[in-house]
Amino acid sequence: MTAEADLLILGAPVWTGDPARPWADAVAVRGGRVAAAGPEREVAALRGPATRVLALDGGLVLPGFADAHVHTAAGGLELAQCDLHGVEPEAYPATVARYAAERPEAGWVLGGGWVMDAFGTAGPHRSVLDAVVADRPVLLESTDGHSAWVNSRAVELAGITRATPDPPRGRVERDAAGEPTGALHEAAMDLVGDLAPDPGPAEWEAAVERGQAHLHRLGITAWQDAAVGPEMLAAYRAVAERGRLTGRAVAALRWDVDAGAAQLRDLVEHRRQGTLGRLRASAVKIFADGVFENRTASMLEPYLDGDGRPTTNRGIGMLGPEELARVVTALDGEGFDVHVHAIGDRAVRDTLDAFAAAAAANGRRDARHQIAHLQFVHPADRPRFRRLGVVANAQPYWSCLDGYMRELTLPFLDPERAGWQYPWASLRRAGAVLAFGSDWTVSTANPLEEIEVAVGRLVPGDPDAEPFLPDERVDLPAALAAFTSGSAYALRLEGQTGSITPGKLADLAVLDRDPFDPAAGPLGGVRVLATLVEGEPVHADPALDLG
Ligand SMILES: [Zn+2]
């Protein structure tokens, strides 16, 4: 006789994500693992006197989402700071003023979430912040994390004047007279950022738990934290040691471009310390370039000037191609999964070249090397993902005609390159493993809102929008797979999670509607009723009876 189940989930279709048996109508859980998924009669036979039953009234059961690229700890920190995400740009000054007034004791006003397309290419001006906070320094990161907006007090404290040179790999935005405007890009952010107080260990630990709770509410059971410094890793460790890490976290340890090869030893040690419970510090994150909107993405051909004329600017490669290959080869040789941020087509090509160099030097191993963002991929480079075994770590929410695309991207491009953007369907057709991630807090962490853009390539909430490069749409099963089995593969979790398959861990999400039902409405409006890790709820709608 089969042993009885701890939990049965009945009453809603089950999208298993298992290609051998994609649909079921019930799931049984025993000992934290999927005991059965199949016809209701078969699964219900596992019911015993102590079995809890989650009786649903429609909706959909699916594997818990895995976010392949998200900033959980930093996002959790931001949730407690001056948060401009989702705030209308006209309301930025009032929001900053209110936040500062509520915290008279705080020396600095720190926060972020402002959008670049509210200000044009010059970025925001310090005078706007001076009007609401003049006596204390203000430092606000853009939602993409690649620029900062500071007030005059911060400029003064940092000693930035018209005579200050741009630091390597960064730019101080200046007005026509050469005066700093208060917008700082890439490495120039550190001119002010290095002066701001760092959060202490308790703040970071609270941030990890706050970020985790945010993701669980959205059906996410595993994630890759895409740039983890030593202070964040210590917080993850502390939370894991207390048994409070309920999600599966892969920490991608941050590679410091200025620290050189000497940091390799430290990273190996951090991996050893950072592997306990559901935490695994097995990846390293490298920035190959910046972002297109501030002209720091590394491009094969120069940017245009907005009137269609070529400039001499090809962006900023954070490491030269030789150094990138050297670093990637060394990390690969130590058994790390290398996770590279690459936006421009040159950055993507240099990174693929680096992975090829690593394979040539070390031999091919079962690595989960990956390139995140992939805004511009030259068509000749698409088949190389499969050939080199490189995961396409994609942020589907960006693949639409939003303000960033219309105002800050398309005017600076020729039509040919404009058509190479976010090629999710092409990469899939070329045999790449597609793994979806949010890049929260850059964008929403809600996988269903992101999937809505992946399948429609439409600006969310705009009924008149036109699809952006519609040939690059992926269908719903492919999008769900990219957010479950695809991202589980990127996290080395595909043997344990990513599909509802007997024997795998019962990491599950329960939706209030079935997104496969055309009557369900926009995907982004579908809500998560419950999130389970090993069969135990880590989020549950109060209305739900979990037995
Ligand atoms: Zn990121």
Side-chain angles (χ1 to χ4, degrees):
M1 276 305 285
T2 40
E4 69 183 57
D6 302 323
L7 172 69
L8 296 184
I9 305 175
L10 312 169
V14 179
W15 183 80
T16 68
D18 185 340
R21 198 179 194 181
W23 289 96
D25 32 56
V27 183
V29 177
R30 184 170 51 233
R33 291 181 183 269
V34 176
E40 179 158 340
R41 202 165 357 146
E42 216 172 87
V43 174
L46 300 176
R47 183 172 187 168
T51 304
R52 290 173 295 137
V53 177
L54 173 53
L56 298 167
D57 182 19
L60 184 76
V61 179
L62 75 170
F65 294 112
D67 191 322
H69 182 117
V70 59
H71 300 278
T72 311
L77 190 67
E78 272 189 52
L79 287 176
Q81 294 183 333
C82 181
D83 188 5
L84 299 177
H85 292 96
V87 174
E88 288 300 322
E90 309 79 69
Y92 288 164
T95 306
V96 174
R98 189 163 359 107
Y99 182 89
E102 283 166 4
R103 286 163 191 76
E105 77 295 344
W108 283 66
V109 175
L110 301 172
W114 55 273
V115 293
M116 287 278 282
D117 54 343
F119 301 103
T121 46
H125 203 275
R126 58 192 156 88
S127 59
V128 177
L129 295 174
D130 295 346
V132 289
V133 184
D135 54 336
R136 290 188 273 165
V138 178
L139 169 61
L140 302 168
E141 278 192 25
S142 59
T143 186
D144 56 55
H146 291 263
S147 300
W149 179 16
V150 300
N151 68 349
S152 295
R153 182 78 188 105
V155 168
E156 185 188 305
L157 273 177
I160 304 169
T161 66
R162 53 181 306 140
T164 307
D166 285 346
R169 294 184 298 273
R171 196 173 82 240
V172 175
E173 196 73 49
R174 298 158 205 271
D175 63 17
E179 296 294 337
T181 62
L184 305 170
H185 304 295
E186 302 295 341
M189 297 164 69
D190 298 339
L191 298 173
V192 173
D194 286 348
L195 306 176
D198 290 326
E203 270 173 276
W204 274 120
E205 288 164 34
V208 167
E209 293 202 41
R210 204 182 293 117
Q212 169 175 265
H214 184 72
L215 299 187
H216 283 337
R217 278 194 292 276
L218 298 167
I220 296 165
T221 52
W223 64 86
Q224 175 162 218
D225 198 319
V228 172
E231 65 297 334
M232 291 187 218
L233 187 68
Y236 265 112
R237 264 182 62 89
V239 172
E241 272 168 359
R242 284 200 297 271
R244 295 182 64 95
L245 191 66
T246 44
R248 297 175 210 291
V250 170
L253 304 170
R254 198 166 46 210
W255 179 265
D256 179 347
V257 272
D258 297 316
Q263 65 192 300
L264 196 56
R265 247 196 352 256
D266 295 340
L267 292 172
V268 170
E269 176 58 17
H270 287 152
R271 174 173 59 189
R272 194 186 63 73
Q273 293 170 0
T275 300
L276 72 157
R278 296 195 179 106
L279 174 65
R280 191 157 37 76
S282 51
V284 172
K285 165 76 172 295
I286 301 175
F287 282 90
D289 66 347
V291 294
F292 191 87
E293 292 84 1
N294 69 9
R295 314 285 170 264
T296 57
S298 176
M299 302 295 287
L300 290 166
E301 299 298 330
Y303 289 81
L304 303 187
D305 66 1
D307 293 314
R309 285 182 300 264
T311 65
T312 55
N313 181 22
R314 292 170 194 259
I316 301 180
M318 296 288 161
L319 298 162
E322 295 80 19
E323 198 190 349
L324 183 63
R326 241 188 339 266
V327 170
V328 167
T329 301
L331 290 167
D332 175 74
E334 286 290 351
F336 282 106
D337 294 328
V338 184
H339 179 146
V340 181
H341 162 119
I343 296 267
D345 47 12
R346 174 171 295 277
V348 172
R349 179 167 294 174
D350 288 348
T351 305
L352 290 166
D353 290 346
F355 287 135
N362 303 329
R364 266 291 278 282
R365 55 181 195 89
D366 180 29
R368 301 301 151 82
H369 298 323
Q370 43 203 291
I371 306 181
H373 308 327
L374 300 167
Q375 182 168 355
F376 295 90
V377 183
H378 190 286
D381 289 324
R382 291 173 188 162
R384 301 179 71 198
F385 285 78
R386 190 188 61 79
R387 274 208 305 274
L388 294 165
V390 174
V391 175
N393 188 322
Q395 285 60 58
Y397 198 71
W398 304 345
S399 46
C400 62
L401 281 164
D402 60 3
Y404 272 60
M405 184 57 65
R406 283 184 195 280
E407 287 150 40
L408 300 178
T409 306
L410 294 177
F412 305 92
L413 281 171
D414 50 87
E416 188 183 23
R417 288 186 290 171
W420 295 348
Q421 295 189 79
Y422 304 122
W424 313 145
S426 296
L427 285 165
R428 258 190 103 234
R429 272 196 302 275
V433 172
L434 192 61
F436 278 170
S438 64
D439 209 3
W440 180 68
T441 60
V442 174
S443 303
T444 172
N446 185 342
L448 290 152
E449 291 184 75
E450 295 154 39
I451 289 170
E452 180 182 329
V453 180
V455 303
R457 310 264 302 189
L458 292 165
V459 175
D462 181 357
D464 304 321
E466 55 175 304
F468 178 57
L469 305 175
D471 290 348
E472 298 295 350
R473 288 185 286 219
V474 294
D475 63 17
L476 182 55
L480 288 173
F483 244 125
T484 53
S485 54
S487 43
Y489 178 84
L491 272 61
R492 266 183 205 281
L493 287 171
E494 79 283 1
Q496 303 264 27
T497 66
S499 68
I500 302 178
T501 302
K504 283 193 178 182
L505 294 165
D507 293 0
L508 309 170
V510 178
L511 309 182
D512 71 337
R513 272 161 284 168
D514 176 0
F516 286 92
D517 177 357
L523 289 168
V526 174
R527 285 182 42 249
V528 175
L529 289 180
T531 308
L532 290 84
V533 170
E534 295 171 41
E536 295 298 326
V538 292
H539 156 71
D541 189 285
L544 204 64
D545 180 7
L546 282 160

